[in-house]
Amino acid sequence: MTEQRQERFRFSEAPIWEWQRKYFEEQGLKAWNNDQVPQYITSNPMIAEAYAEMIFGFLQDRAAQGETKECVTIVELGAGAGRLAFHVLQKCCELRDYAGIPLPPFRYVMTDLPMKNVESWERHPALQTYIDQGLLDFARFDAVADHELNLTVSGTTLRPGDLQQPLLIVANYFFDSIPQELLYVGDGRIFECDVIVDFPDTPEKLSPAQLLENLSMDYSHRRAPEYEHADFAYKDVIALYQEELEDSHILFPAVGLECLERLSLLSRAGFLLLTADKGDHRLENWKFAEPPELVLHGSFSLTANYHAIQHVFEQRGAESLFTSQYYKNLNVGCILMLEKPMNYVNTRLAYRRSIERFGPDEFFSLKEWVDRHLESMGVQQLLAFWRLGGYDAEFFIQSAKRFSSLLPEASDEEMTDIRRGIHKMWSSFYVMEQRYDLALDAGLLLFEMEQYEDSKLFLEASLEADEEAPVPTVLYCLAICCYELDQIESALAYTREALIQEPEHEEALDLLHALTGDL
């Protein structure tokens, strides 16, 4: 049995934060393989389109103020797998091109802590177009310490005061994963919570994920009058907690607030924050809050304290937008730390349309219902939800078999919409290391629809991407596609290759006889 030792730490200095950093630095983009670390809810095409609408509204607002010459910089914190950045850029470019109106230029900067993530983004095929157009750059950024951004593509450095336009910050699943203070409010006084950690005597033998899985923590309170001093930077929100809360544990985002303040110094004109997280902006949700529990997913996450972030910047003149309805899975907020924030009408209207009325949280709740009722849905319902989600690849993978079962009763118009949807999905597909083969599923469904030219395109893409030996059924389908397209030599080649893999493949043998006239 492994021996345990016990140590006491200030919560923000506990070893869990070092294990968190180490996990992401070691794993790189592999951390998001097959949703080990959750990414779908904050990176799908639907939330990306909502963000793009708000970014486009912000560009319109800057243009209305006569600010069209200087570039608007969009910085994503903790860009992770890169999927959100790709979808946001794609949607922003679509809106820009469709509108055809004067707007300030923009560039998107993806940042994260591990340098290996930056290096992976630089090589990712889906991002090359945006790199070549000067729309995309990258930087390693440590939220705890960094004051500037060293851009790897342009080779420039963004320092305090460099930006004329406001900085636009995107932070999804970010504030819940960086160090936080843990406070306790009781009898009108502030205490810090120390954490007592039990972990093995030889932690170096375990991976960060294993250390977190085997972690045992207890908390103790320690009087912390320094939070009540007049010179404490966030004394106003602490005073509010003293007045309004009792017997409550508060995750206080000191690092997150300091990070936003450091980033805000890059611009002379303030910042706009777009953020989504498991986070509460309502004070009542922190009343009588119990000590936090780590949510484990290789790494870990906590609940973000949006209330503190909102309160601090509103005290400085910001306008904050959060939904009037209660969130279930994802709280999406927009903070306009800008001069005369109410003048940003298009930005605020975009939030109202894309978040308040029906946003990413409602979409995800609906998706959970759809996942359970997929087998009872008809073609029109499948198409409608697929369209609502921005022709998302993950939904197609889930629903491909259901689409296939409904093809015999599908109308020509529905067939056309399925085909168009597949092409739209493929044009916005961001490749990650996942357990599924999207090109294969798309190609086989198109084959069933007798869309042979399209099917051939996708099945060949699947073969090209698959390093393993080709599946005889796929080769046979390709042979049929070529035969129907009057590409006889290619049909013969695929048929013979299928028979090499499976000499007794009856359909391939029949096709070979038909192609060679050997009856």
Side-chain angles (χ1 to χ4, degrees):
M1 186 173 177
T2 306
E3 291 188 10
Q4 299 279 319
R5 60 189 173 91
Q6 190 177 86
E7 291 190 34
R8 179 178 181 141
F9 302 90
R10 184 183 183 190
F11 186 75
S12 61
E13 297 171 358
I16 57 174
W17 302 109
E18 184 58 34
W19 299 340
Q20 178 97 309
R21 288 172 68 99
K22 201 171 187 182
Y23 173 81
F24 284 110
E25 287 176 334
E26 289 178 357
Q27 293 293 314
L29 296 194
K30 292 181 180 178
W32 289 271
N33 286 4
N34 298 316
D35 281 337
Q36 180 175 341
V37 174
Q39 55 82 26
Y40 175 81
I41 189 172
T42 57
S43 300
N44 62 72
M46 193 274 177
I47 191 172
E49 186 153 10
Y51 277 27
E53 290 282 356
M54 289 186 284
I55 292 169
F56 185 72
F58 179 78
L59 297 176
Q60 288 178 287
D61 288 327
R62 295 303 292 171
Q65 297 170 28
E67 302 289 346
T68 58
K69 293 182 180 179
E70 298 291 336
C71 180
V72 171
T73 298
I74 306 160
V75 173
E76 183 184 350
L77 303 176
R83 188 181 179 200
L84 177 68
F86 169 72
H87 287 308
V88 169
L89 269 172
Q90 186 179 53
K91 300 298 183 183
C92 282
C93 290
E94 286 178 4
L95 289 169
R96 176 200 63 189
D97 296 344
Y98 185 82
I101 57 177
L103 295 170
F106 61 88
R107 64 175 167 184
Y108 199 105
V109 180
M110 297 167 63
T111 74
D112 214 336
L113 177 65
M115 192 61 198
K116 65 170 61 176
N117 287 8
V118 176
E119 293 166 352
S120 296
W121 300 332
E122 290 174 334
R123 298 189 300 267
H124 198 290
L127 301 177
Q128 299 310 304
T129 298
Y130 302 113
I131 295 172
D132 294 343
Q133 293 176 21
L135 294 173
L136 181 60
D137 216 319
F138 313 101
R140 180 189 180 275
F141 182 73
D142 184 345
V144 176
D146 287 347
H147 290 75
E148 57 188 32
L149 293 171
N150 297 305
L151 308 185
T152 64
V153 175
S154 63
T156 60
T157 298
L158 293 182
R159 297 184 175 90
D162 279 354
L163 302 178
Q164 304 297 319
Q165 297 273 28
L167 179 66
L168 207 158
I169 303 169
V170 175
N172 280 8
Y173 272 3
F174 176 74
F175 295 110
D176 69 344
S177 301
I178 60 175
Q180 304 181 54
E181 307 297 343
L182 181 58
L183 307 181
Y184 174 77
V185 183
D187 297 326
R189 296 185 297 172
I190 300 296
F191 299 81
E192 261 201 306
C193 294
D194 289 338
V195 58
I196 301 164
V197 180
D198 287 318
F199 51 85
D201 277 334
T202 54
E204 66 278 1
K205 294 182 180 180
L206 300 177
S207 70
Q210 290 171 324
L211 286 166
L212 290 167
E213 286 172 3
N214 292 283
L215 180 67
S216 175
M217 297 194 307
D218 289 311
Y219 298 99
S220 65
H221 301 159
R222 171 174 46 81
R223 185 78 173 92
E226 62 271 22
Y227 287 92
E228 303 167 33
H229 289 171
D231 59 353
F232 180 63
Y234 311 115
K235 63 181 184 303
D236 289 344
V237 70
I238 294 296
L240 180 65
Y241 292 160
Q242 287 179 273
E243 182 179 343
E244 297 292 335
L245 300 182
E246 179 62 34
D247 191 22
S248 302
H249 294 81
I250 304 295
L251 285 161
F252 191 76
V255 169
L257 286 164
E258 291 162 6
C259 174
L260 290 173
E261 290 180 345
R262 280 183 272 113
L263 286 171
S264 73
L265 295 176
L266 298 178
S267 170
R268 303 176 187 181
F271 69 86
L272 171 72
L273 171 66
L274 303 179
T275 182
D277 218 319
K278 302 172 298 176
D280 288 321
H281 66 279
R282 293 180 173 86
L283 184 60
E284 69 254 28
N285 289 351
W286 293 98
K287 290 183 177 180
F288 305 107
E290 296 290 331
E293 293 185 8
L294 305 187
V295 179
L296 299 179
H297 31 65
S299 57
F300 72 89
S301 58
L302 296 162
T303 298
N305 186 346
Y306 277 146
H307 175 269
I309 296 172
Q310 175 185 12
H311 188 275
V312 165
F313 288 109
E314 282 185 348
Q315 291 292 101
R316 301 177 187 180
E319 174 73 13
S320 296
L321 304 175
F322 285 92
T323 61
S324 55
Q325 66 268 25
Y326 287 85
Y327 84 98
K328 174 66 168 63
N329 297 287
L330 192 69
N331 199 1
V332 183
C334 175
I335 296 179
L336 299 92
M337 189 64 229
L338 304 163
E339 185 178 358
K340 298 180 180 179
M342 294 303 289
N343 287 354
Y344 287 78
V345 176
N346 291 295
T347 308
R348 294 187 296 108
L349 283 173
Y351 183 90
R352 187 173 185 271
R353 290 191 306 267
S354 302
I355 307 297
E356 176 79 29
R357 181 175 176 272
F358 180 91
D361 185 51
E362 287 80 12
F363 172 76
F364 190 75
S365 295
L366 189 58
K367 185 180 182 301
E368 289 182 315
W369 183 90
V370 167
D371 290 346
R372 296 192 301 269
H373 297 84
L374 200 63
E375 294 306 311
S376 64
M377 294 173 69
V379 174
Q380 282 300 314
Q381 288 74 43
L382 292 172
L383 283 169
F385 187 77
W386 195 22
R387 193 176 300 119
L388 178 66
Y391 294 99
D392 177 55
E394 292 195 25
F395 178 70
F396 176 78
I397 290 294
Q398 288 176 278
S399 59
K401 288 183 179 178
R402 180 60 182 165
F403 270 121
S404 174
S405 70
L406 295 168
L407 289 180
E409 291 81 34
S411 67
D412 291 343
E413 291 83 0
E414 289 170 336
M415 292 277 205
T416 298
D417 282 346
I418 294 171
R419 176 179 171 274
R420 286 176 179 166
I422 289 172
H423 281 283
K424 286 184 178 180
M425 170 188 69
W426 189 251
S427 70
S428 62
F429 178 52
Y430 186 80
V431 176
M432 296 171 58
E433 290 188 35
Q434 301 283 20
R435 64 176 71 89
Y436 55 72
D437 184 342
L438 180 66
L440 178 60
D441 279 12
L444 291 175
L445 187 62
L446 288 163
F447 182 82
E448 290 184 71
M449 294 164 60
E450 299 182 356
Q451 298 290 326
Y452 297 115
E453 186 172 358
D454 291 331
S455 177
K456 179 174 178 287
L457 174 72
F458 284 98
L459 293 178
E460 286 180 336
S462 173
L463 284 185
E464 186 178 346
D466 194 346
E467 297 178 358
E468 298 181 2
V471 177
T473 300
V474 175
L475 294 168
Y476 170 74
C477 289
L478 275 166
I480 293 292
C481 289
C482 293
Y483 174 77
E484 294 290 344
L485 296 170
D486 203 26
Q487 300 171 5
I488 304 304
E489 290 300 319
S490 295
L492 272 169
Y494 280 124
T495 303
R496 287 168 176 153
E497 192 175 352
L499 289 169
I500 290 172
Q501 300 297 326
E502 187 179 332
E504 302 302 319
H505 194 293
E506 293 185 9
E507 293 89 345
L509 285 169
D510 290 342
L511 181 59
L512 179 64
H513 294 159
L515 289 168
T516 60
D518 184 6
L519 303 175

